[in-house]
């Protein structure tokens, strides 16, 4: 089958100067805007032969973060019969969709995407003159989803955490601190977790990974009346502050998917928050299993409410995702490549079902 080459969706501007801060040595975790950085992600997917038809869906960077992210070009090479960018029906989330007919040989796609990032920092010392959140956006980011209900035990927990707190900032910070103090990162959780927060609260099992712990922040914030959203993405570079758990060790980003979160606060706008990464530092830095009073933990805990480092690219904000062209089950979120052969969904965490590799590298200025 002839190789198709297509180029589409030039979304970003040309590369700008890179941040020139040193990497490697442990330093105080203190993200600050120091200049835009440009990254390229290459995703190579191979689906096994056999079967009448095959489909593939791959997320692409599409988050336009005010002052911290700009999505860029999307290109691909594939032997598929059809490749195009499609949008999820409800959220409009873009993704690359490839379709193959019957084939005895492997089906392949190489997707190249680009994005620019910057450290995301919001000064929480005093509110500023920030325009109100659009009502459509407010409705979207305070709504319940299938795995993020805002009533029942979620509402009860949010009310308990925020009781006596006044103002958006106090409530959001209280929720963040509660999650840091009460959750646990579970290294055995498959992938990034599921994000079923009602089950977590009902069962009392507050363990998991980023899509669980940061989903708790989002769901509890929404239940408290604060617009909040998960931001699904992928790590693309080492931490320049030396935290091995907060960045890549090499250019292999295949397992580097990471979910972050944002909350809208009056007078501040969208504010970054990543309680899950505090728990990751506690588990993985140094000899591991650090306590809340360890200086490394204290450092990131203080900063990851209000800031995060720009060594990460955001894909989308989507929950309850229907894959265009599929009759298969809805996804809780879209952060990994997804595939079907003969209409049967493949396990994206099982290399026997289909294989993919993601590499990330920083582009020169």
């Amino acid at each position: 089958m002839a190789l198709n080459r297509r180029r589409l969706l030039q979304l970003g501007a040309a590369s700008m100067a890179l941040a020139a801060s040193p990497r490697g040595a442990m330093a105080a975790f203190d993200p600050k805007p120091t200049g835009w950085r440009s990254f390229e992600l290459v995703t190579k997917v191979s689906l096994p032969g056999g079967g009448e038809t095959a489909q593939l869906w791959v997320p692409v960077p599409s988050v336009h973060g005010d002052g911290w992210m700009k999505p860029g070009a999307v290109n691909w090479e594939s032997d598929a019969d059809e490749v195009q960018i499609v949008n999820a029906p409800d959220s409009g989330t873009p993704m690359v969709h490839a379709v193959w007919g019957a084939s005895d040989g492997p089906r392949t796609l190489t997707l190249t995407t680009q994005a620019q990032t910057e450290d995301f920092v919001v000064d929480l010392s005093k509110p500023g003159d920030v325009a109100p959140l659009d009502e459509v956006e407010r409705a979207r980011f305070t709504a319940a989803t299938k795995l993020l209900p805002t009533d029942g035990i979620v509402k009860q927990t949010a009310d308990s955490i925020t009781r006596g707190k006044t103002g958006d900032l106090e409530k959001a910070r209280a929720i963040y601190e509660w999650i840091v103090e009460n959750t646990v990162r579970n290294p055995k959780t498959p992938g990034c977790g599921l994000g079923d927060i009602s089950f977590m609260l009902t069962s009392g099992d507050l363990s998991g990974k980023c899509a669980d712990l940061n989903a708790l922040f989002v769901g509890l914030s929404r239940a408290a009346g604060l617009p909040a959203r998960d931001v699904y993405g992928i790590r693309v570079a080492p931490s320049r502050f030396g935290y091995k758990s907060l960045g890549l060790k090499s250019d292999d980003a295949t397992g580097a998917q990471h979910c972050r979160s944002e909350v809208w606060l009056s007078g501040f706008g969208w504010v970054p928050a990543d309680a899950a990464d505090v728990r990751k530092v506690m588990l993985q830095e140094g000899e591991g299993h650090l306590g809340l009073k360890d200086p490394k933990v204290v450092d990131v805990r203080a900063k990851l409410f209000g800031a995060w480092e720009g060594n990460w690219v955001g894909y989308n904000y989507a929950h309850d995702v229907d894959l265009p062209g599929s009759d298969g089950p809805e996804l809780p979120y879209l952060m990994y490549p997804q595939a079907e052969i003969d209409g049967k969904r493949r396990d994206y965490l099982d290399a026997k079902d289909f294989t993919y590799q993601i590499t990330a590298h920083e582009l020169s200025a």
Side-chain angles (χ1 to χ4, degrees):
M1 191 175 294
L3 184 68
N4 298 320
R5 291 182 174 86
R6 298 189 182 185
R7 177 171 180 167
L8 188 65
L9 201 64
Q10 185 74 36
L11 296 177
S15 300
M16 298 177 69
L18 300 177
S21 52
R23 298 331 193 241
M26 180 65 76
F29 187 78
D30 191 18
K32 291 180 180 178
T34 55
W36 288 95
R37 303 168 66 183
S38 297
F39 293 96
E40 184 173 84
L41 285 159
V42 179
T43 303
K44 295 183 178 181
V45 185
S46 178
L47 303 183
E52 291 301 314
T53 60
Q55 295 190 80
L56 172 70
W57 300 264
V58 186
V60 296
S62 63
V63 172
H64 293 261
D66 185 15
W68 66 268
M69 183 176 155
K70 305 173 187 177
V74 177
N75 305 279
W76 57 77
E77 294 183 352
S78 179
D79 55 9
D81 296 325
E82 182 180 356
V83 186
Q84 61 181 326
I85 290 180
V86 297
N87 298 318
D90 291 335
S91 64
T93 299
M95 64 195 81
V96 166
H97 181 210
V99 180
W100 289 264
S103 174
D104 293 328
R107 294 126 159 166
T108 63
L109 179 139
T110 298
L111 174 67
T112 302
T113 61
Q114 294 182 2
Q116 290 182 287
T117 67
E118 170 72 287
D119 285 8
F120 185 13
V121 182
V122 177
D123 182 0
L124 298 177
S125 63
K126 59 181 179 179
D129 185 15
V130 178
L133 184 64
D134 177 87
E135 287 305 311
V136 173
E137 292 284 277
R138 178 174 290 275
R140 176 184 177 188
F141 294 120
T142 54
T145 73
K146 290 183 178 177
L147 295 182
L148 274 69
T150 56
D151 58 2
I153 193 170
V154 180
K155 175 63 173 170
Q156 295 165 17
T157 306
D159 288 346
S160 175
I161 294 169
T162 60
R163 187 172 294 118
K165 306 300 180 184
T166 59
D168 291 358
L169 178 57
E170 273 195 41
K171 292 178 181 179
R173 191 185 295 276
I175 294 169
Y176 170 84
E177 301 292 356
W178 184 90
I179 292 170
V180 169
E181 292 177 3
N182 289 278
T183 63
V184 176
R185 179 177 173 87
N186 183 354
K188 296 182 180 180
T189 298
C192 286
L194 183 60
D196 187 345
I197 66 171
S198 181
F199 171 80
M200 294 172 70
L201 293 169
T202 301
S203 67
D205 182 0
L206 300 182
S207 68
K209 289 185 181 174
C210 57
D212 301 305
L213 308 191
N214 283 336
L216 261 180
F217 177 80
V218 171
L220 290 169
S221 295
R222 291 186 183 189
L226 303 174
R229 59 195 185 189
D230 288 296
V231 194
Y232 298 102
I234 190 166
R235 302 186 200 271
V236 293
S239 169
R240 70 175 183 272
F241 304 105
Y243 283 81
K244 66 180 182 181
S245 59
L246 302 183
L248 292 183
K249 297 178 181 179
S250 67
D251 62 359
D252 184 1
T254 305
Q257 290 83 1
H258 179 57
C259 166
R260 287 177 161 171
S261 60
E262 294 178 287
V263 61
W264 176 273
L265 305 180
S266 298
F268 300 99
W270 285 111
V271 173
D274 197 342
D277 260 357
V278 181
R279 278 288 165 176
K280 188 174 186 185
V281 166
M282 292 175 69
L283 181 66
Q284 296 184 357
E285 291 297 329
E287 298 300 319
H289 301 285
L290 303 178
L292 286 168
K293 294 184 180 180
D294 187 280
K296 294 179 183 178
V297 179
V298 171
D299 214 14
V300 296
R301 179 178 182 175
K303 293 295 183 179
L304 285 176
F305 182 80
W308 67 46
E309 193 177 352
N311 62 338
W312 172 90
V313 166
Y315 285 140
N316 58 69
Y317 309 115
H319 287 270
D320 300 343
V321 182
D322 282 315
L323 296 175
S326 171
D327 294 324
E330 188 177 70
L331 298 173
Y333 53 80
L334 180 64
M335 191 162 49
Y336 295 86
Q338 302 288 331
E340 292 181 357
I341 296 179
D342 279 349
K344 296 180 180 180
R345 189 71 53 83
R346 294 290 175 130
D347 183 354
Y348 59 89
L349 297 177
D350 186 349
K352 295 178 182 178
D353 269 6
F354 75 98
T355 60
Y356 64 88
Q357 182 181 37
I358 305 173
T359 57
H361 67 273
E362 191 163 358
L363 301 175
S364 300

